[in-house]
Amino acid sequence: MALHYKKQNILKGALIYSAGDTIAALLLDEFSWYRLLGMMLVGATVYAFEIPNYFDWIVKKTERLKGLKATLTKTGLAILYFNPLWIARHLLFIKLFSGQFDAISWNLIAIAFWSFLANILISFIANYIIQNRFKLKWRFLGSAIFSALMAIYYALSETIFG
C-alpha cells in the first residue's frame, strides 16, 4: 500500500481543522494564536497523513464486500478510527497549544468517551455519507469539514461533559 501525503491534503488539513477549532475557541473565549498555529500544524501533518491513508485502507479492506455488508463495514471502520482515544488526543492537542498543561489529565479520556457516545448517531450518519457516497479523493475533504464541525463540539464537550 502506497502512503499518501499530498500538498492539497496538507493545505486542506491546515485550514479546515484550524478553522473549526478557531470557531470553538472564539465561542469559549479561548482564542490563542499559539493554538491556531498548533492546530494548523496538526491538521497539516498528523491529520493530513493519517486520515487519507486510513480511508485508503478502508477501501482496500472492503473491496471484496458488497451491498449492505460493505456499506456498514466502511461506516463502522471510519467510526472505529474516530473513537474516544482520537477525541482525547484532539483535546490533548488543544490543551498543549493553549498552554493549559495543568488541564492535561486522564479526565480528557472520560470527556472524550462521553462526547463520543453522545454524538454516535450523528457520527454514524456523517461517516456513512463520507465512506459510501464520496469518491475516495474527496473523503479527506468531507471528513475534514465534518471534523471541523465536530472540533467545535469536542471543544465544547469539555464544558458539557467535564
Side-chain angles (χ1 to χ4, degrees), residues 3 8 14 16 18 31 60 64 70 72 87 89 106 116 118 123 125 129 143-144 148 151:
L3 295 177
Q8 68 182 28
I16 296 170
S18 63
F31 178 80
K60 287 175 177 40
R64 291 197 168 98
L72 292 178
I87 298 168
R89 182 181 67 173
W106 292 105
F116 178 80
S123 184
I125 293 167
I129 293 167
S143 180

Side-chain angles (χ1 to χ4, degrees), residues 19-160:
D21 184 69
T22 298
I23 292 168
L26 290 169
L27 288 172
L28 294 169
D29 198 28
E30 295 179 355
F31 178 80
S32 155
W33 286 105
Y34 295 113
R35 178 172 167 169
L36 172 64
L37 294 173
M39 294 311 289
M40 288 179 79
L41 178 67
V42 168
T45 57
V46 177
Y47 296 161
F49 178 76
E50 278 184 358
I51 296 169
N53 286 297
Y54 187 76
F55 288 173
D56 189 45
W57 178 82
I58 289 173
V59 168
K60 287 175 177 40
K61 188 77 173 164
T62 60
E63 65 189 353
R64 291 197 168 98
L65 301 176
K66 301 289 181 220
L68 184 60
K69 186 172 185 178
T71 299
L72 292 178
T73 302
K74 288 178 187 178
T75 304
L77 289 172
I79 290 172
L80 282 175
Y81 175 77
F82 295 105
N83 64 57
L85 292 176
W86 191 93
I87 298 168
R89 182 181 67 173
H90 187 78
L91 294 173
L92 173 68
F93 288 143
I94 291 170
K95 297 300 176 199
L96 286 172
F97 297 129
S98 298
Q100 298 175 3
F101 305 112
D102 57 324
I104 298 172
S105 71
W106 292 105
N107 189 43
L108 293 179
I109 293 175
I111 293 166
F113 175 77
W114 291 113
S115 175
F116 178 80
L117 281 182
N119 80 17
I120 193 74
L121 181 60
I122 294 167
S123 184
F124 181 87
I125 293 167
N127 281 295
Y128 165 80
I129 293 167
I130 293 165
Q131 294 301 316
N132 295 287
R133 299 292 180 229
F134 287 22
K135 292 185 182 295
L136 181 60
K137 74 178 198 170
W138 294 105
R139 287 184 193 158
F140 178 65
L141 178 62
S143 180
I145 292 169
F146 174 64
S147 293
L149 294 172
M150 293 307 293
I152 298 167
Y153 168 70
Y154 296 147
L156 295 173
S157 67
E158 185 173 8
T159 302
I160 298 167

